Amino acid sequence: MDNASTISVSSPVVDFKEVTFQFLEDNSPVFTNISFSIHAGERVVLYGPSGCGKSTLLYLMNRLYPANCDGELSGSVALFHKDASSYAAGEINRRIATVFQDPETQFCMPTVEQEMAFTLENLHINREEMEQRITTTLDLTGLSAFRHSVIQTLSGGMKQRLATACALLIEPQVLLLDEPLAHLDPLTAHQYVEWLNALQLSSDFTVVVVEHRLDLWGSFFNRALHVKNSGVFSIEANPTRSPIQFPSRTSTVQDVVALEAQNISVNIDGNRLLSNISLSLRKGEIAVLAGPNGSGKSTLLKTICGILKKTDGQFKSGRTIPGYVPQSPEHLFVTNDVGQEISFSNHANADEISDIMHSLRLLEIQDAHPFAISHGQKRRVAIGAMIADQRPVLLLDEPTSGQDSEVLIELFHLIDSMAKEGFTVLIVTHDMAFAAAIADTVFLLNNGELTGRYENEQLWQQTELLKTHHLLPPIGAASYV
């Protein structure tokens, strides 16, 4: 993939000069005296540890901050050669479109078509042009078949694509994307990058992306802003990153069944979401559930833990309901600070809680409100709280999303240590490098049907099988098995 062939040397479309920003409830600024510019047609990635301020930077670029938060800004932020504070409310959003980390926060209407029409109605687009824009954008984003779908029935990956489609409807000059690949299966993520590459080359809009997994983007980006927890920035040209190298592990599977599903089917509103699913998990087993967006992975986890009602079949999991960490982790939060959240169940002792918080890098935010931290940090808090609850079976839905490399390695060690203690873990993930490193077993799901159970070492060389499930073998997969 080639980058945009030329980079504009005109005045910047985004220009930060000596910018300091601090939330009023924090003791120190998110960043201090930072300066950088982004020019028309550039492709820039912001990367760095979870919670270092990458999303905050995006929100300063689209005027969401400081206008809609309790924060103080000093220095100069200019957008299209004009001071950001001089724009009227909503004015800049006709030129700078944003896709947020959690796409559900952007939707206002029940169906895909209605949501897209609502976006264009706010721009006062006439009905004839509205129809043309919606049809074209649906084709470009591969969502034509979902035109009349109810948004809440879509998978997380489909919601991410819809949010991007709605952003493109306004034909922006700058597109801000906050971890757009986080909920996409590997093949769809690859196709998304190729599609965005072609679209940017033809339309020449500026792209600014927050991302942890630079290896998924190949040579897409012209420049990177490396954001560090200290607020220090470095600027890199043509950034690329190698995949994370996880350590090896030894299987801890015991010959004791911890969870068994027999012929599980789920029908909702006349639609069959799962069909005759049968699987078993053993004590100490780490299993991965993988497959395309919309294949039923999250539905299966929700059915196992009782959030969704099964239509047919039965579960055998002893007397304890499995612990569950959903894709939207804030749904679990019940306290006012991170430390209380981890210890809420009272099942873990003080030393165990301290170890969990250390492993998940939560000690530095233990006094923060769970809703006031980054999405990646929220996910770690939810995982930590469920681990502290000490359920013998743990279900994790996309635990790797939004996590930097150091956290992923710590998460690997934490799950591995749990398995050694006899816990059973079932993980939904699109991160095949993490899956190849951590899993004893991989279950493949497609169109609501379980299509196979594979030992880790059996799977990664089966290219056609992976492709039919929208998966790609991780680079260096052979080193994990």
Side-chain angles (χ1 to χ4, degrees):
M1 182 196 308
D2 293 327
N3 293 354
S5 56
T6 59
I7 301 300
S8 171
V9 294
S10 62
S11 298
V13 295
V14 174
D15 191 19
F16 280 52
K17 291 182 179 177
E18 300 296 320
V19 171
T20 297
F21 182 78
Q22 181 172 348
F23 293 106
L24 297 184
E25 68 270 19
D26 290 349
N27 295 322
S28 59
V30 181
F31 31 72
T32 304
N33 297 328
I34 63 167
S35 299
F36 66 89
S37 298
I38 297 174
H39 294 264
E42 275 200 287
R43 304 163 173 206
V44 177
V45 62
L46 311 179
Y47 79 98
S50 299
C52 67
K54 303 183 297 297
S55 295
T56 299
L57 275 174
L58 284 196
Y59 301 160
L60 289 172
M61 293 181 197
N62 65 12
R63 284 212 68 231
L64 183 64
Y65 290 173
N68 296 283
C69 74
D70 293 327
E72 292 183 347
L73 173 70
S74 64
S76 168
V77 177
L79 305 173
F80 300 101
H81 332 310
K82 180 179 174 181
D83 190 272
S85 62
S86 66
Y87 285 94
E91 180 184 1
I92 196 61
N93 303 115
R94 294 173 175 267
R95 305 176 73 180
I96 299 178
T98 307
V99 178
F100 295 95
Q101 205 170 71
D102 185 355
E104 289 192 50
T105 61
Q106 296 185 242
F107 302 136
C108 300
M109 304 299 287
T111 72
V112 170
E113 183 178 52
Q114 289 171 332
E115 182 66 29
M116 299 180 83
F118 179 76
T119 300
L120 295 175
E121 285 170 355
N122 287 327
L123 300 177
H124 306 291
I125 302 298
N126 65 59
R127 189 161 296 276
E128 182 178 346
E129 183 180 351
M130 185 184 297
E131 171 67 24
Q132 182 269 325
R133 282 204 201 185
I134 290 174
T135 300
T136 299
T137 305
L138 286 170
D139 288 342
L140 283 172
T141 53
L143 290 171
S144 296
F146 299 90
R147 183 170 189 145
H148 303 292
S149 296
V150 174
I151 293 172
Q152 290 307 313
T153 66
L154 300 179
S155 69
M158 290 298 181
K159 289 174 182 174
Q160 186 77 27
R161 292 168 68 181
L162 174 59
T164 305
C166 290
L168 293 171
L169 275 173
I170 69 174
E171 300 177 350
Q173 293 170 265
V174 178
L175 181 63
L176 308 180
L177 301 170
D178 199 349
E179 298 210 45
L181 307 185
H183 299 294
L184 301 183
D185 62 62
L187 185 60
T188 301
H190 177 76
Q191 292 169 343
Y192 181 98
V193 173
E194 292 290 339
W195 162 75
L196 188 63
N197 177 65
L199 190 62
Q200 195 275 344
L201 285 173
S202 64
S203 302
D204 202 32
F205 53 80
T206 305
V207 182
V208 183
V209 180
V210 167
E211 184 59 82
H212 286 293
R213 296 288 309 277
L214 269 66
D215 55 296
L216 298 176
W217 292 81
S219 59
F220 180 88
F221 297 109
N222 307 119
R223 284 197 301 151
L225 297 180
H226 185 185
V227 190
K228 303 178 182 178
N229 275 326
S230 60
V232 176
F233 280 61
S234 61
I235 299 175
E236 305 167 2
N238 301 316
T240 57
R241 287 293 180 277
S242 300
I244 300 169
Q245 296 299 311
F246 290 98
S248 59
R249 64 175 295 268
T250 301
S251 175
T252 55
V253 177
Q254 303 177 33
D255 192 20
V256 177
V257 175
L259 171 70
E260 187 173 5
Q262 296 179 345
N263 301 316
I264 300 299
S265 296
V266 175
N267 296 344
I268 297 179
D269 296 330
N271 296 315
R272 173 151 286 203
L273 304 183
L274 297 176
S275 181
N276 297 319
I277 301 290
S278 294
L279 60 82
S280 65
L281 298 173
R282 293 162 290 174
K283 186 176 181 180
E285 184 172 13
I286 301 173
V288 162
L289 182 63
N293 291 124
S295 59
K297 301 183 297 296
S298 296
T299 299
L300 180 55
L301 293 196
K302 291 176 182 177
T303 306
I304 292 173
C305 67
I307 293 176
L308 293 179
K309 184 178 180 180
K310 57 185 173 54
T311 306
D312 296 300
Q314 60 180 329
F315 290 108
K316 296 181 179 180
S317 57
R319 298 179 180 178
T320 304
I321 297 174
Y324 170 60
V325 179
Q327 281 189 25
S328 298
E330 57 269 19
H331 292 170
L332 297 181
F333 298 153
V334 293
T335 72
N336 293 322
D337 69 59
V338 168
Q340 292 180 36
E341 198 68 39
I342 301 298
S343 59
F344 181 78
S345 69
N346 289 322
H347 289 156
N349 61 41
D351 289 339
E352 290 169 332
I353 290 171
S354 178
D355 288 343
I356 291 169
M357 295 188 69
H358 175 76
S359 296
L360 292 173
R361 282 184 22 204
L362 298 175
L363 289 173
E364 60 266 33
I365 58 168
Q366 62 183 334
D367 297 323
H369 197 290
F371 285 93
I373 56 181
S374 76
H375 196 71
Q377 289 170 328
K378 289 177 183 177
R379 196 173 297 277
R380 302 206 304 272
V381 171
I383 292 169
M386 197 56 63
I387 291 172
D389 198 30
Q390 297 187 343
R391 305 286 181 95
V393 178
L394 189 61
L395 313 176
L396 304 179
D397 198 349
E398 294 287 359
T400 62
S401 176
Q403 309 301 343
D404 59 66
S405 58
E406 291 183 10
V407 169
L408 287 176
I409 291 174
E410 291 295 341
L411 184 62
F412 169 94
H413 286 301
L414 186 59
I415 294 174
D416 182 45
S417 66
M418 290 176 62
K420 289 176 181 175
E421 294 175 15
F423 289 87
T424 300
V425 187
L426 178 59
I427 305 168
V428 167
T429 183
H430 291 307
D431 187 334
M432 291 300 98
F434 188 82
I438 197 71
D440 299 301
T441 307
V442 180
F443 293 97
L444 296 184
L445 197 66
N446 203 355
N447 296 318
E449 297 182 356
L450 192 66
T451 55
R453 176 189 185 278
Y454 299 88
E455 300 301 317
N456 201 347
E457 62 270 16
Q458 297 175 349
L459 180 62
W460 305 112
Q461 307 305 318
Q462 301 187 48
T463 306
E464 288 304 314
L465 175 67
L466 292 172
K467 188 175 180 180
T468 61
H469 291 80
H470 284 206
L471 304 176
L472 298 172
I475 296 173
S479 66
Y480 300 126
V481 299

PDB file of all heavy atoms in Angstrom, residues 434-462:
ATOM      1  N   PHE A 434      -2.675 -12.228  19.921  1.00  0.00           N
ATOM      2  CA  PHE A 434      -2.984 -12.539  21.316  1.00  0.00           C
ATOM      3  C   PHE A 434      -3.612 -13.924  21.417  1.00  0.00           C
ATOM      4  O   PHE A 434      -3.274 -14.713  22.302  1.00  0.00           O
ATOM      5  CB  PHE A 434      -3.925 -11.477  21.888  1.00  0.00           C
ATOM      6  CG  PHE A 434      -4.160 -11.599  23.365  1.00  0.00           C
ATOM      7  CD1 PHE A 434      -3.245 -11.088  24.274  1.00  0.00           C
ATOM      8  CD2 PHE A 434      -5.303 -12.214  23.858  1.00  0.00           C
ATOM      9  CE1 PHE A 434      -3.452 -11.199  25.651  1.00  0.00           C
ATOM     10  CE2 PHE A 434      -5.525 -12.332  25.224  1.00  0.00           C
ATOM     11  CZ  PHE A 434      -4.593 -11.818  26.119  1.00  0.00           C
ATOM     12  N   ALA A 435      -4.528 -14.230  20.497  1.00  0.00           N
ATOM     13  CA  ALA A 435      -5.180 -15.536  20.501  1.00  0.00           C
ATOM     14  C   ALA A 435      -4.167 -16.661  20.329  1.00  0.00           C
ATOM     15  O   ALA A 435      -4.190 -17.672  21.049  1.00  0.00           O
ATOM     16  CB  ALA A 435      -6.232 -15.599  19.397  1.00  0.00           C
ATOM     17  N   ALA A 436      -3.261 -16.500  19.372  1.00  0.00           N
ATOM     18  CA  ALA A 436      -2.270 -17.540  19.114  1.00  0.00           C
ATOM     19  C   ALA A 436      -1.342 -17.740  20.300  1.00  0.00           C
ATOM     20  O   ALA A 436      -0.873 -18.850  20.557  1.00  0.00           O
ATOM     21  CB  ALA A 436      -1.461 -17.184  17.865  1.00  0.00           C
ATOM     22  N   ALA A 437      -1.088 -16.663  21.043  1.00  0.00           N
ATOM     23  CA  ALA A 437      -0.177 -16.746  22.178  1.00  0.00           C
ATOM     24  C   ALA A 437      -0.840 -17.353  23.407  1.00  0.00           C
ATOM     25  O   ALA A 437      -0.218 -18.128  24.134  1.00  0.00           O
ATOM     26  CB  ALA A 437       0.353 -15.354  22.518  1.00  0.00           C
ATOM     27  N   ILE A 438      -2.108 -17.042  23.654  1.00  0.00           N
ATOM     28  CA  ILE A 438      -2.745 -17.367  24.932  1.00  0.00           C
ATOM     29  C   ILE A 438      -3.580 -18.641  24.909  1.00  0.00           C
ATOM     30  O   ILE A 438      -3.744 -19.302  25.934  1.00  0.00           O
ATOM     31  CB  ILE A 438      -3.619 -16.179  25.404  1.00  0.00           C
ATOM     32  CG1 ILE A 438      -3.948 -16.300  26.904  1.00  0.00           C
ATOM     33  CG2 ILE A 438      -4.908 -16.081  24.584  1.00  0.00           C
ATOM     34  CD1 ILE A 438      -2.794 -16.061  27.815  1.00  0.00           C
ATOM     35  N   ALA A 439      -4.131 -19.014  23.744  1.00  0.00           N
ATOM     36  CA  ALA A 439      -5.188 -20.027  23.724  1.00  0.00           C
ATOM     37  C   ALA A 439      -4.659 -21.462  23.772  1.00  0.00           C
ATOM     38  O   ALA A 439      -3.654 -21.795  23.140  1.00  0.00           O
ATOM     39  CB  ALA A 439      -6.057 -19.853  22.484  1.00  0.00           C
ATOM     40  N   ASP A 440      -5.363 -22.303  24.531  1.00  0.00           N
ATOM     41  CA  ASP A 440      -5.219 -23.751  24.386  1.00  0.00           C
ATOM     42  C   ASP A 440      -6.088 -24.239  23.236  1.00  0.00           C
ATOM     43  O   ASP A 440      -5.696 -25.117  22.464  1.00  0.00           O
ATOM     44  CB  ASP A 440      -5.671 -24.462  25.664  1.00  0.00           C
ATOM     45  CG  ASP A 440      -4.865 -24.068  26.882  1.00  0.00           C
ATOM     46  OD1 ASP A 440      -3.640 -24.267  26.854  1.00  0.00           O
ATOM     47  OD2 ASP A 440      -5.452 -23.539  27.844  1.00  0.00           O
ATOM     48  N   THR A 441      -7.285 -23.637  23.134  1.00  0.00           N
ATOM     49  CA  THR A 441      -8.294 -24.077  22.181  1.00  0.00           C
ATOM     50  C   THR A 441      -8.894 -22.866  21.490  1.00  0.00           C
ATOM     51  O   THR A 441      -9.056 -21.809  22.110  1.00  0.00           O
ATOM     52  CB  THR A 441      -9.429 -24.833  22.914  1.00  0.00           C
ATOM     53  OG1 THR A 441      -8.864 -25.867  23.708  1.00  0.00           O
ATOM     54  CG2 THR A 441     -10.419 -25.423  21.929  1.00  0.00           C
ATOM     55  N   VAL A 442      -9.217 -23.000  20.209  1.00  0.00           N
ATOM     56  CA  VAL A 442      -9.913 -21.949  19.465  1.00  0.00           C
ATOM     57  C   VAL A 442     -11.207 -22.521  18.906  1.00  0.00           C
ATOM     58  O   VAL A 442     -11.196 -23.526  18.185  1.00  0.00           O
ATOM     59  CB  VAL A 442      -9.051 -21.379  18.322  1.00  0.00           C
ATOM     60  CG1 VAL A 442      -9.818 -20.281  17.577  1.00  0.00           C
ATOM     61  CG2 VAL A 442      -7.722 -20.831  18.860  1.00  0.00           C
ATOM     62  N   PHE A 443     -12.328 -21.894  19.261  1.00  0.00           N
ATOM     63  CA  PHE A 443     -13.625 -22.238  18.691  1.00  0.00           C
ATOM     64  C   PHE A 443     -13.932 -21.236  17.589  1.00  0.00           C
ATOM     65  O   PHE A 443     -13.795 -20.024  17.788  1.00  0.00           O
ATOM     66  CB  PHE A 443     -14.730 -22.177  19.747  1.00  0.00           C
ATOM     67  CG  PHE A 443     -14.619 -23.216  20.820  1.00  0.00           C
ATOM     68  CD1 PHE A 443     -14.023 -22.912  22.037  1.00  0.00           C
ATOM     69  CD2 PHE A 443     -15.104 -24.502  20.621  1.00  0.00           C
ATOM     70  CE1 PHE A 443     -13.917 -23.859  23.039  1.00  0.00           C
ATOM     71  CE2 PHE A 443     -14.999 -25.463  21.611  1.00  0.00           C
ATOM     72  CZ  PHE A 443     -14.408 -25.137  22.820  1.00  0.00           C
ATOM     73  N   LEU A 444     -14.348 -21.717  16.425  1.00  0.00           N
ATOM     74  CA  LEU A 444     -14.720 -20.844  15.313  1.00  0.00           C
ATOM     75  C   LEU A 444     -16.234 -20.803  15.169  1.00  0.00           C
ATOM     76  O   LEU A 444     -16.912 -21.839  15.218  1.00  0.00           O
ATOM     77  CB  LEU A 444     -14.082 -21.328  14.015  1.00  0.00           C
ATOM     78  CG  LEU A 444     -12.555 -21.298  13.960  1.00  0.00           C
ATOM     79  CD1 LEU A 444     -12.059 -21.703  12.573  1.00  0.00           C
ATOM     80  CD2 LEU A 444     -12.003 -19.925  14.337  1.00  0.00           C
ATOM     81  N   LEU A 445     -16.744 -19.599  15.000  1.00  0.00           N
ATOM     82  CA  LEU A 445     -18.180 -19.375  14.886  1.00  0.00           C
ATOM     83  C   LEU A 445     -18.445 -18.607  13.602  1.00  0.00           C
ATOM     84  O   LEU A 445     -17.700 -17.675  13.257  1.00  0.00           O
ATOM     85  CB  LEU A 445     -18.668 -18.557  16.093  1.00  0.00           C
ATOM     86  CG  LEU A 445     -20.163 -18.530  16.409  1.00  0.00           C
ATOM     87  CD1 LEU A 445     -20.636 -19.916  16.840  1.00  0.00           C
ATOM     88  CD2 LEU A 445     -20.446 -17.525  17.527  1.00  0.00           C
ATOM     89  N   ASN A 446     -19.507 -18.979  12.891  1.00  0.00           N
ATOM     90  CA  ASN A 446     -19.865 -18.276  11.654  1.00  0.00           C
ATOM     91  C   ASN A 446     -21.371 -18.389  11.448  1.00  0.00           C
ATOM     92  O   ASN A 446     -21.936 -19.489  11.553  1.00  0.00           O
ATOM     93  CB  ASN A 446     -19.124 -18.881  10.454  1.00  0.00           C
ATOM     94  CG  ASN A 446     -19.002 -17.892   9.317  1.00  0.00           C
ATOM     95  OD1 ASN A 446     -19.537 -16.786   9.363  1.00  0.00           O
ATOM     96  ND2 ASN A 446     -18.276 -18.272   8.274  1.00  0.00           N
ATOM     97  N   ASN A 447     -22.015 -17.252  11.204  1.00  0.00           N
ATOM     98  CA  ASN A 447     -23.462 -17.228  10.969  1.00  0.00           C
ATOM     99  C   ASN A 447     -24.249 -17.938  12.065  1.00  0.00           C
ATOM    100  O   ASN A 447     -25.221 -18.649  11.808  1.00  0.00           O
ATOM    101  CB  ASN A 447     -23.803 -17.859   9.606  1.00  0.00           C
ATOM    102  CG  ASN A 447     -23.226 -17.078   8.451  1.00  0.00           C
ATOM    103  OD1 ASN A 447     -23.264 -15.847   8.453  1.00  0.00           O
ATOM    104  ND2 ASN A 447     -22.680 -17.771   7.475  1.00  0.00           N
ATOM    105  N   GLY A 448     -23.807 -17.747  13.313  1.00  0.00           N
ATOM    106  CA  GLY A 448     -24.531 -18.313  14.438  1.00  0.00           C
ATOM    107  C   GLY A 448     -24.319 -19.794  14.657  1.00  0.00           C
ATOM    108  O   GLY A 448     -24.983 -20.396  15.512  1.00  0.00           O
ATOM    109  N   GLU A 449     -23.390 -20.402  13.915  1.00  0.00           N
ATOM    110  CA  GLU A 449     -23.136 -21.839  14.054  1.00  0.00           C
ATOM    111  C   GLU A 449     -21.675 -22.074  14.424  1.00  0.00           C
ATOM    112  O   GLU A 449     -20.776 -21.412  13.896  1.00  0.00           O
ATOM    113  CB  GLU A 449     -23.457 -22.575  12.753  1.00  0.00           C
ATOM    114  CG  GLU A 449     -24.925 -22.492  12.348  1.00  0.00           C
ATOM    115  CD  GLU A 449     -25.219 -23.283  11.085  1.00  0.00           C
ATOM    116  OE1 GLU A 449     -24.263 -23.829  10.503  1.00  0.00           O
ATOM    117  OE2 GLU A 449     -26.396 -23.346  10.695  1.00  0.00           O
ATOM    118  N   LEU A 450     -21.457 -23.003  15.339  1.00  0.00           N
ATOM    119  CA  LEU A 450     -20.100 -23.385  15.690  1.00  0.00           C
ATOM    120  C   LEU A 450     -19.545 -24.282  14.587  1.00  0.00           C
ATOM    121  O   LEU A 450     -20.084 -25.358  14.319  1.00  0.00           O
ATOM    122  CB  LEU A 450     -20.096 -24.126  17.034  1.00  0.00           C
ATOM    123  CG  LEU A 450     -18.729 -24.344  17.685  1.00  0.00           C
ATOM    124  CD1 LEU A 450     -18.127 -23.007  18.101  1.00  0.00           C
ATOM    125  CD2 LEU A 450     -18.857 -25.256  18.891  1.00  0.00           C
ATOM    126  N   THR A 451     -18.483 -23.831  13.941  1.00  0.00           N
ATOM    127  CA  THR A 451     -17.964 -24.553  12.782  1.00  0.00           C
ATOM    128  C   THR A 451     -16.733 -25.397  13.092  1.00  0.00           C
ATOM    129  O   THR A 451     -16.235 -26.098  12.212  1.00  0.00           O
ATOM    130  CB  THR A 451     -17.626 -23.566  11.649  1.00  0.00           C
ATOM    131  OG1 THR A 451     -16.722 -22.574  12.146  1.00  0.00           O
ATOM    132  CG2 THR A 451     -18.882 -22.887  11.144  1.00  0.00           C
ATOM    133  N   GLY A 452     -16.255 -25.308  14.324  1.00  0.00           N
ATOM    134  CA  GLY A 452     -15.123 -26.171  14.650  1.00  0.00           C
ATOM    135  C   GLY A 452     -14.483 -25.821  15.974  1.00  0.00           C
ATOM    136  O   GLY A 452     -14.580 -24.695  16.455  1.00  0.00           O
ATOM    137  N   ARG A 453     -13.817 -26.833  16.548  1.00  0.00           N
ATOM    138  CA  ARG A 453     -12.995 -26.673  17.748  1.00  0.00           C
ATOM    139  C   ARG A 453     -11.588 -27.110  17.380  1.00  0.00           C
ATOM    140  O   ARG A 453     -11.382 -28.220  16.889  1.00  0.00           O
ATOM    141  CB  ARG A 453     -13.538 -27.524  18.887  1.00  0.00           C
ATOM    142  CG  ARG A 453     -12.698 -27.496  20.158  1.00  0.00           C
ATOM    143  CD  ARG A 453     -13.179 -28.542  21.160  1.00  0.00           C
ATOM    144  NE  ARG A 453     -12.467 -28.468  22.420  1.00  0.00           N
ATOM    145  CZ  ARG A 453     -11.275 -29.011  22.651  1.00  0.00           C
ATOM    146  NH1 ARG A 453     -10.662 -29.671  21.670  1.00  0.00           N
ATOM    147  NH2 ARG A 453     -10.699 -28.888  23.834  1.00  0.00           N
ATOM    148  N   TYR A 454     -10.588 -26.249  17.603  1.00  0.00           N
ATOM    149  CA  TYR A 454      -9.244 -26.525  17.129  1.00  0.00           C
ATOM    150  C   TYR A 454      -8.239 -26.327  18.254  1.00  0.00           C
ATOM    151  O   TYR A 454      -8.313 -25.348  19.001  1.00  0.00           O
ATOM    152  CB  TYR A 454      -8.883 -25.583  15.959  1.00  0.00           C
ATOM    153  CG  TYR A 454      -9.792 -25.753  14.774  1.00  0.00           C
ATOM    154  CD1 TYR A 454     -10.978 -25.019  14.685  1.00  0.00           C
ATOM    155  CD2 TYR A 454      -9.496 -26.663  13.769  1.00  0.00           C
ATOM    156  CE1 TYR A 454     -11.841 -25.184  13.604  1.00  0.00           C
ATOM    157  CE2 TYR A 454     -10.349 -26.832  12.684  1.00  0.00           C
ATOM    158  CZ  TYR A 454     -11.518 -26.086  12.612  1.00  0.00           C
ATOM    159  OH  TYR A 454     -12.373 -26.263  11.547  1.00  0.00           O
ATOM    160  N   GLU A 455      -7.325 -27.256  18.368  1.00  0.00           N
ATOM    161  CA  GLU A 455      -6.170 -27.014  19.215  1.00  0.00           C
ATOM    162  C   GLU A 455      -5.347 -25.913  18.557  1.00  0.00           C
ATOM    163  O   GLU A 455      -5.284 -25.799  17.324  1.00  0.00           O
ATOM    164  CB  GLU A 455      -5.337 -28.292  19.360  1.00  0.00           C
ATOM    165  CG  GLU A 455      -6.097 -29.464  19.980  1.00  0.00           C
ATOM    166  CD  GLU A 455      -6.621 -29.151  21.372  1.00  0.00           C
ATOM    167  OE1 GLU A 455      -5.871 -28.551  22.180  1.00  0.00           O
ATOM    168  OE2 GLU A 455      -7.786 -29.498  21.654  1.00  0.00           O
ATOM    169  N   ASN A 456      -4.721 -25.099  19.377  1.00  0.00           N
ATOM    170  CA  ASN A 456      -4.037 -23.917  18.868  1.00  0.00           C
ATOM    171  C   ASN A 456      -3.079 -24.254  17.724  1.00  0.00           C
ATOM    172  O   ASN A 456      -3.072 -23.597  16.676  1.00  0.00           O
ATOM    173  CB  ASN A 456      -3.274 -23.243  20.016  1.00  0.00           C
ATOM    174  CG  ASN A 456      -2.957 -21.783  19.738  1.00  0.00           C
ATOM    175  OD1 ASN A 456      -3.084 -21.323  18.617  1.00  0.00           O
ATOM    176  ND2 ASN A 456      -2.559 -21.071  20.763  1.00  0.00           N
ATOM    177  N   GLU A 457      -2.279 -25.299  17.910  1.00  0.00           N
ATOM    178  CA  GLU A 457      -1.252 -25.600  16.911  1.00  0.00           C
ATOM    179  C   GLU A 457      -1.832 -26.122  15.596  1.00  0.00           C
ATOM    180  O   GLU A 457      -1.128 -26.170  14.589  1.00  0.00           O
ATOM    181  CB  GLU A 457      -0.248 -26.615  17.471  1.00  0.00           C
ATOM    182  CG  GLU A 457      -0.838 -27.970  17.828  1.00  0.00           C
ATOM    183  CD  GLU A 457      -1.331 -28.038  19.259  1.00  0.00           C
ATOM    184  OE1 GLU A 457      -1.491 -26.958  19.877  1.00  0.00           O
ATOM    185  OE2 GLU A 457      -1.560 -29.159  19.751  1.00  0.00           O
ATOM    186  N   GLN A 458      -3.123 -26.476  15.587  1.00  0.00           N
ATOM    187  CA  GLN A 458      -3.736 -27.015  14.373  1.00  0.00           C
ATOM    188  C   GLN A 458      -4.273 -25.933  13.437  1.00  0.00           C
ATOM    189  O   GLN A 458      -4.511 -26.191  12.259  1.00  0.00           O
ATOM    190  CB  GLN A 458      -4.906 -27.939  14.744  1.00  0.00           C
ATOM    191  CG  GLN A 458      -4.532 -29.166  15.546  1.00  0.00           C
ATOM    192  CD  GLN A 458      -5.759 -29.952  15.979  1.00  0.00           C
ATOM    193  OE1 GLN A 458      -6.884 -29.476  15.852  1.00  0.00           O
ATOM    194  NE2 GLN A 458      -5.533 -31.151  16.485  1.00  0.00           N
ATOM    195  N   LEU A 459      -4.453 -24.748  13.945  1.00  0.00           N
ATOM    196  CA  LEU A 459      -5.292 -23.781  13.246  1.00  0.00           C
ATOM    197  C   LEU A 459      -4.567 -22.862  12.280  1.00  0.00           C
ATOM    198  O   LEU A 459      -5.056 -22.606  11.173  1.00  0.00           O
ATOM    199  CB  LEU A 459      -6.051 -22.936  14.285  1.00  0.00           C
ATOM    200  CG  LEU A 459      -6.985 -21.853  13.744  1.00  0.00           C
ATOM    201  CD1 LEU A 459      -8.105 -22.469  12.895  1.00  0.00           C
ATOM    202  CD2 LEU A 459      -7.578 -21.032  14.878  1.00  0.00           C
ATOM    203  N   TRP A 460      -3.410 -22.353  12.654  1.00  0.00           N
ATOM    204  CA  TRP A 460      -2.876 -21.160  11.985  1.00  0.00           C
ATOM    205  C   TRP A 460      -2.322 -21.404  10.587  1.00  0.00           C
ATOM    206  O   TRP A 460      -2.085 -20.454   9.843  1.00  0.00           O
ATOM    207  CB  TRP A 460      -1.820 -20.511  12.882  1.00  0.00           C
ATOM    208  CG  TRP A 460      -2.390 -20.211  14.228  1.00  0.00           C
ATOM    209  CD1 TRP A 460      -2.065 -20.796  15.416  1.00  0.00           C
ATOM    210  CD2 TRP A 460      -3.454 -19.291  14.518  1.00  0.00           C
ATOM    211  NE1 TRP A 460      -2.855 -20.300  16.428  1.00  0.00           N
ATOM    212  CE2 TRP A 460      -3.710 -19.377  15.910  1.00  0.00           C
ATOM    213  CE3 TRP A 460      -4.217 -18.416  13.749  1.00  0.00           C
ATOM    214  CZ2 TRP A 460      -4.694 -18.618  16.532  1.00  0.00           C
ATOM    215  CZ3 TRP A 460      -5.201 -17.651  14.368  1.00  0.00           C
ATOM    216  CH2 TRP A 460      -5.425 -17.752  15.745  1.00  0.00           C
ATOM    217  N   GLN A 461      -2.141 -22.651  10.209  1.00  0.00           N
ATOM    218  CA  GLN A 461      -1.677 -22.931   8.853  1.00  0.00           C
ATOM    219  C   GLN A 461      -2.836 -23.168   7.883  1.00  0.00           C
ATOM    220  O   GLN A 461      -2.618 -23.339   6.685  1.00  0.00           O
ATOM    221  CB  GLN A 461      -0.756 -24.163   8.854  1.00  0.00           C
ATOM    222  CG  GLN A 461       0.402 -24.082   9.837  1.00  0.00           C
ATOM    223  CD  GLN A 461       1.251 -22.840   9.651  1.00  0.00           C
ATOM    224  OE1 GLN A 461       1.545 -22.444   8.525  1.00  0.00           O
ATOM    225  NE2 GLN A 461       1.636 -22.219  10.753  1.00  0.00           N
ATOM    226  N   GLN A 462      -4.080 -23.179   8.389  1.00  0.00           N
ATOM    227  CA  GLN A 462      -5.249 -23.469   7.555  1.00  0.00           C
ATOM    228  C   GLN A 462      -5.804 -22.167   6.978  1.00  0.00           C
ATOM    229  O   GLN A 462      -6.804 -21.624   7.435  1.00  0.00           O
ATOM    230  CB  GLN A 462      -6.305 -24.228   8.366  1.00  0.00           C
ATOM    231  CG  GLN A 462      -5.779 -25.547   8.927  1.00  0.00           C
ATOM    232  CD  GLN A 462      -6.864 -26.373   9.577  1.00  0.00           C
ATOM    233  OE1 GLN A 462      -7.943 -26.572   9.002  1.00  0.00           O
ATOM    234  NE2 GLN A 462      -6.600 -26.869  10.780  1.00  0.00           N
TER     235      GLN A 462
END
